[in-house]
Amino acid sequence: MTSGAEGRSGFTADVAGAVLERACRTAGLSPANAQLLRLGSNAVYRLPDSAAIVRIARDPEASEESRRAVRVARWLEAEGFPATRVVAGVEQPLVVDGRAVTFWMSAQDRDEYAGPAELADLLRQLHWLEEPASLGLPYYDPFDGVWEFLRDLRGSVADDDLAFLEERTGRIQKEYDRLDWVLDFGLIHGDANVGNALRGRDGKALLIDLDDFSLGQREWDLVLTALFYERLGWHTRAEYESFVYRYGFDLLNWPGYPVLADLRELKMTLWLGHQVASDEKAAVEFTRRVRAIRTGGSRKDWQPF
């Protein structure tokens, strides 16, 4: 049985491709002309011949998250909420070579991302929903897996970088535990950003990537958009203001924002740390990010991954 750390670090395009072939044969779908869209926390493929998207989890221990994502998708469809839909008539998820595989209806033939204003509309609508207990949603813990990720970095990143990241994680966790929340607790997406909001064939926006759906503080669903604007410069001021106007709350005015932003950029950086041994671009980006966090330098040159 592959351990979580080994499975994450050994997740290459070749490994994912072999899983894809077996999964498609089991599901009765053709892998011919499959296009690898992303190789991150999941390998994401488009199947042009089937108008489907296939997601293969990097983490061999992610089967429960995948099952929950399927349950959430079916519930959102019953609610009429604009979100990605599972392919009907296929067992969900399949487990192939220890990895969870799910099949989703393709929003359209190419990815067209929604804007911050559309994301705000989706989140406002989502946050009004009241989930049934049958969904079995967990409470959101932003530190879940963080210390394990740090342990897994030993031997692959410099010792002083690892010691710095461990110290920073401990400090952020203490600050997080003292936060005074102002928005309601309830259903959240868990990884809300424009990269997880696509436009469908009808031009309307929908949410994708349902793996982190959970119960938590609504501020967490707003922090990436604020971070992308305030620190990274990936959104313009006009885009961020449209997000605030449509959602109805400006996270930058909340005193707890810097703590959530510090935590989010830490998690983004730790994820990259697991790619340094196999991806030269990731190694360069990891070094850039650690240097900026350590020195308090600008994040404007950070590259999306």
Side-chain angles (χ1 to χ4, degrees), residues 70-212:
V70 170
R71 291 198 302 271
V72 168
R74 288 172 173 156
W75 172 66
L76 291 176
E77 182 173 12
E79 292 288 318
F81 182 89
T84 184
R85 309 300 190 208
V86 295
V87 172
V90 177
E91 181 182 351
Q92 302 270 3
L94 293 176
V95 178
V96 176
D97 293 341
R99 301 184 190 276
V101 183
T102 50
F103 300 83
W104 305 85
M105 295 175 61
S106 180
Q108 56 173 306
D109 295 335
R110 60 183 177 83
D111 286 347
E112 181 182 340
Y113 293 100
E118 293 162 293
L119 175 62
D121 288 341
L122 289 170
L123 291 177
R124 190 181 69 251
Q125 184 179 348
L126 176 70
H127 292 170
W128 275 103
L129 292 179
E130 194 167 329
E131 82 296 336
S134 60
L135 276 184
L137 295 180
Y139 291 111
Y140 187 78
D141 177 7
F143 290 92
D144 183 35
V146 170
W147 289 103
E148 180 184 356
F149 258 60
L150 283 163
R151 288 192 300 270
D152 292 346
L153 289 179
R154 290 172 185 164
S156 59
V157 304
D159 289 345
D160 61 333
D161 284 343
L162 182 57
F164 167 73
L165 292 170
E166 288 175 337
E167 183 280 329
R168 186 170 179 84
T169 300
R171 177 183 63 77
I172 293 172
Q173 191 162 20
K174 291 178 182 177
E175 293 174 347
Y176 181 88
D177 289 342
R178 296 194 295 265
L179 287 177
D180 185 14
W181 305 98
V182 294
L183 297 180
D184 291 337
F185 178 92
L187 182 69
I188 62 172
H189 178 274
D191 191 25
N193 66 87
V194 291
N196 284 329
L198 297 179
R199 293 195 183 102
R201 290 179 174 82
D202 60 1
K204 296 179 180 179
L206 55 91
L207 278 180
I208 65 170
D209 192 355
L210 311 180
D211 295 356
D212 291 327

Side-chain angles (χ1 to χ4, degrees), residues 8-88:
R8 287 190 293 267
S9 61
F11 193 59
T12 64
D14 288 341
V15 169
V19 173
L20 175 74
E21 291 280 342
R22 288 188 56 194
C24 285
R25 286 199 300 271
T26 302
L29 300 175
S30 172
N33 305 313
Q35 304 164 0
L36 178 60
L37 304 179
R38 287 184 296 282
L39 185 64
S41 299
N42 296 273
V44 182
Y45 290 89
R46 187 191 307 280
L47 302 182
D49 298 345
S50 306
I53 299 292
V54 184
R55 288 165 52 88
I56 304 169
R58 173 183 289 268
D59 191 339
E61 300 171 0
S63 294
E64 176 52 38
E65 287 84 349
S66 296
R67 283 191 288 270
R68 186 169 62 245
V70 170
R71 291 198 302 271
V72 168
R74 288 172 173 156
W75 172 66
L76 291 176
E77 182 173 12
E79 292 288 318
F81 182 89
T84 184
R85 309 300 190 208
V86 295
V87 172

